[in-house]
Structures are given as C-alpha cells and as structure tokens.
Amino acid sequence: MGTPQRYIAHFDLDSFFVSVEVLLNPALKGKPVIVGGSAERGVVSTCSYEARKFGVKSAMPMKTALQRCPQAIVVQGAYANYAQYSAMVTDIIANRAPLFEKASIDEFYIDLTGMDKYDDPFQWTIRLRDEIIQITGLPISFGLAGNKMVAKIATDMAKPNGYIQVPPGKEKEFLAPLLVSRISGVGEHTLQILESMGVHTIQQLSQTPRSLLIHRLGKMGESLHEKAQGIHTSPVQPFHEAKSVSSEHTFEENITDTEALITELVRLTEKVAYSLRQDGQLAGCIAVKIRYPDFETHSRQTTITPSCRDDEFIPAAIQLFQDLYATGTPVRLLGVKLSEFTREPIQPSLFEDAAKKQHLYQAIDDVKNKFGKTALQKARTVKKKNNDT
Ligand SMILES: [Mg+2]
C-alpha cells in the first residue's frame, strides 16, 4: 500500500453561542433560545435545538424567526464570553493533539494519521471530547474519518452532542445515501443544476460521468465527482496562535484623495476586525501604515481597551491616519494591524452598550460566513464606493 490511512477528526461545538449563554444562565436550558439582533432589523446568529424545531435557522431575519417561534427567548450575547470559551477549548485541544487546525471560533480539525500504530484514534478522540465537556461544560460533537470533508459531514450527522466514526475505507459507502446538499460548497445554484440532472443523493452523483459533471458545472463538477467518491486530500492546516492580524492594500494608482483613503482604511479595519472575531480574540492595540510612492513607510499605533468591535477600531484607525498622513501627498499603500491579543473577558460593566453592538457583529459575521466575505459591507463603505463611480 502506498499512502498510509489518514485519520482526521472534526470537532464542532453545538449551537456554540447559545450553549455559552445557557452555561452563564442555566434558566435558559431546554428552552427555545436565539442569539441575535433586534426584532426589527437583526438576523439570527445561533439558535438552540428547541428553536430549530420551529424552523428557526442561522442567518434568518429575526422577524421571521419570531413569527415561527414567538415564545423564543432572544439573547443579545456578549462576544467576549464566546472568545473566552473558544480559547478554553483551543487550549485543551492544543495540549493533546499532535496537529490541529482551528477552522473557526467553534470548529477544529485534528490530524491523527499514524496514531493507529500505538493507540485507537477513535477511543483517543472520545477521551478528548469527554475532557472538553468536563472542563468547559459545553456540548460538542465530532466525526472521525479519512479526510476533512467526510469528517465534517459525519459531525453534522452526529449532532447534537454526539460522535461518529466512519471506518477507514468506508467513506464512499457512508456518503452514498446522503443528499448532495450535505457536501460543503453545494449552494442553491449547484443544487438546482444537479436536481435538473436527476442527481439527488451522493450515490447518484458518484455514478454520474465525470465528463458530464464538468460539462454542466465546470471546475465545481470536477471537485464534486471526487468528493462523491469520498476523496478529499486537503490537509489540516497547523494552528498558530496569531500575534496580530493585519491587512494592507496597494493602490493601482497612487491616491491623494483623503476621503478615498479613509474609505479604504475603514474597509481594511472591518476586514481585520472580522478575522479577529473569527479567531475569537480581542485586540488591545491598533496600528496604521502608510507607504508613499518612494517606498518610504510610516506607521503609528495606539493602545485601546481590548475589543473586537469595528466601531471602536474605526475611529482609532482614522485618528492614527490623520496624525500620520501629510494631506495631499500621494499614497501607494495603506495597512491596518491589530495586535496585543487578550483572552481576558471584559468586565460586564463595560458592556452595557457593547453587548448590543457585539450581537450585531455576530449576526454580520454569520452572514459573511454564509454568503461570502463581501456579501455585507457597512453603509459607509458601500455609499462611498457608489459615490466614487
Ligand atoms: Mg458549531
């Protein structure tokens, strides 16, 4: 045999934000709970399984959710708590796992390939799950399989609060009866095309000629053909605790218009704040960098109250920019960096207003995750762009 049997575990905390809220307020246990925005304009960020029974889903407008489940308890959660619990789970996994990837605030892949020589990977993973539950009190599910794609689907099937192993070599068999919509990346559009071809299950997909799938779906068809056979080679990306997140933009032509520069600065700040929230971190320092056409580069930073909020970062970034920028000078590159990460929870007294805003970011991030990172841009960025054209 050529390549060794791979063992990949995928862990996913069940309705993570709701589970944290239940831990903090046990009276919510067993009730239909929604973490999300206001009834008027917000969207559902996460909901409990009790709320799902009424047809409530993530990214659904809060209005619709409350029509379906009027008795739901709506919580406008505090992001710092989620960041703290995410960090706790990350630490437990980091202490045990030989190689792991943090795929999002509540999702992890662990590569256990080679472990079968001295331990049973399934038993090892069960013990790790027990430890996570014991220490954090949070429900978590896992799937163990020969690759990331199958492991993730197995986790989805194991939920809530369960686990599944797909025995080595049985990936294709496991997938066969499932609907094609289980495969990540199969959106509404792809689904429609597949249905029009009479392809509903993964087995039907696996039996559809590769050339036909490529003809109808291009590159997507090629990848779907592989996935339907249970083949997926994407590696587990080693997790490194980030020390900073940054983003920069080089302009195609040097820019002198201050408004245009600030618009870009806001966009970059929103982008880094989004990554920060995905990592479940709070940042205590923000820096802005400007590079001029002669490659001379200036940067300036400032300490802030640890935060993950756009509306705290943006004014700080603009202030730094104004301190730094010699008005009228052409700019070649603009950058924003967040650093001095902390896991310390913010004192509740600091929240009041913060909690209201943080729920909004969760909702926004969920929509970004679902529909792509450019799906949502705040009014300012959008408006400015329209004015530019
Ligand atoms: Mg989850």
Side-chain angles (χ1 to χ4, degrees):
M1 289 291 285
T3 47
Q5 174 63 45
R6 293 171 77 210
Y7 289 90
I8 310 290
H10 173 258
F11 272 90
D12 193 350
L13 289 148
D14 299 337
S15 51
F16 177 49
F17 295 168
V18 167
S19 299
V20 171
E21 295 301 334
V22 171
L23 268 189
L24 299 173
N25 177 10
L28 296 174
K29 199 176 172 143
K31 306 225 167 96
V33 178
I34 298 176
V35 174
S38 71
E40 270 64 53
R41 293 165 53 202
V43 298
V44 174
S45 178
T46 317
C47 58
S48 68
Y49 283 89
E50 290 78 8
R52 284 178 209 197
K53 284 180 198 150
F54 293 88
V56 179
K57 287 181 192 156
S58 290
M60 174 182 276
M62 197 57 103
K63 219 173 171 175
T64 316
L66 289 172
Q67 276 161 8
R68 294 194 180 179
C69 185
Q71 69 273 44
I73 303 167
V74 178
V75 183
Q76 302 190 339
Y79 190 86
N81 293 328
Y82 310 147
Q84 198 197 9
Y85 277 98
S86 171
M88 226 191 269
V89 175
T90 308
D91 285 345
I92 298 165
I93 292 175
N95 276 332
R96 292 259 177 268
L99 169 62
F100 78 102
E101 170 180 343
K102 186 168 181 174
S104 77
I105 191 167
D106 67 343
E107 223 184 319
F108 305 83
Y109 290 96
I110 307 175
D111 192 340
L112 300 172
T113 306
M115 177 181 277
D116 52 332
K117 291 193 197 87
Y118 59 95
D119 197 354
D120 177 352
F122 190 38
Q123 293 307 318
W124 184 93
T125 314
I126 292 172
R127 290 197 300 274
L128 176 64
R129 175 175 173 271
D130 287 345
E131 189 179 343
I132 294 169
I133 293 172
Q134 203 189 357
I135 294 176
T136 66
L138 292 168
I140 186 165
S141 303
F142 79 77
L144 178 65
N147 61 57
K148 286 168 83 173
M149 172 203 49
V150 178
K152 188 175 164 68
I153 293 174
T155 305
D156 286 342
M157 297 187 64
K159 280 174 174 294
N161 210 10
Y163 51 84
I164 288 180
Q165 180 185 24
V166 179
K170 301 283 186 198
E171 286 80 11
K172 190 177 173 182
E173 222 170 289
F174 168 77
L175 296 176
L178 306 179
L179 294 175
V180 286
S181 56
R182 286 273 184 183
I183 300 176
S184 73
V186 175
E188 210 44 59
H189 178 66
T190 307
L191 202 57
Q192 268 174 23
I193 295 173
L194 290 172
E195 306 237 300
S196 76
M197 295 166 70
V199 173
H200 305 282
T201 65
I202 298 179
Q203 176 159 37
Q204 288 168 330
L205 182 64
S206 74
Q207 289 163 348
T208 309
R210 184 170 176 272
S211 56
L212 181 57
L213 287 170
I214 294 174
H215 174 67
R216 296 296 301 272
L217 291 157
K219 259 203 132 32
M220 177 63 144
E222 196 176 347
S223 119
L224 282 181
H225 180 78
E226 282 221 320
K227 286 179 175 174
Q229 322 298 322
I231 299 167
H232 184 64
T233 53
S234 147
V236 172
Q237 306 284 353
F239 174 75
H240 301 290
E241 190 89 71
K243 294 259 188 292
S244 66
V245 286
S246 61
S247 184
E248 45 186 51
H249 179 77
T250 305
F251 297 102
E252 278 173 34
E253 285 170 43
N254 299 329
I255 301 272
T256 47
D257 176 19
T258 306
E259 274 300 299
L261 287 167
I262 289 182
T263 299
E264 181 58 21
L265 186 75
V266 169
R267 190 187 70 83
L268 291 171
T269 308
E270 288 173 353
K271 198 172 152 194
V272 289
Y274 172 76
S275 328
L276 185 78
R277 294 194 293 270
Q278 287 304 296
D279 286 352
Q281 303 273 19
L282 303 171
C285 184
I286 181 167
V288 167
K289 174 165 87 176
I290 298 176
R291 180 168 297 149
Y292 296 104
D294 60 1
F295 280 86
E296 193 168 309
T297 307
H298 296 266
S299 66
R300 186 165 290 195
Q301 62 180 51
T302 187
T303 305
I304 51 170
T305 308
S307 176
C308 60
R309 294 166 46 187
D310 295 11
D311 69 319
E312 289 193 348
F313 294 143
I314 290 169
I318 292 174
Q319 185 63 54
L320 288 168
F321 172 80
Q322 284 170 341
D323 293 349
L324 202 56
Y325 182 52
T327 308
T329 320
V331 172
R332 178 180 161 78
L333 173 147
L334 206 55
V336 175
K337 182 169 88 174
L338 299 172
S339 61
E340 286 179 25
F341 292 166
T342 167
R343 290 170 168 190
E344 293 301 310
I346 301 172
Q347 292 307 307
S349 60
L350 289 172
F351 268 126
E352 295 163 11
D353 188 48
K356 280 184 203 144
K357 287 191 174 139
Q358 277 166 344
H359 83 259
L360 174 70
Y361 297 131
Q362 285 147 29
I364 290 173
D365 289 350
D366 279 353
V367 174
K368 278 183 180 167
N369 285 334
K370 197 161 180 226
F371 302 109
K373 289 176 192 178
T374 51
L376 261 183
Q377 287 173 305
K378 293 225 191 65
R380 182 186 174 98
T381 333
V382 174
K383 214 170 94 196
K384 282 291 183 308
K385 280 213 176 111
N386 290 343
N387 287 352
D388 284 347
T389 51

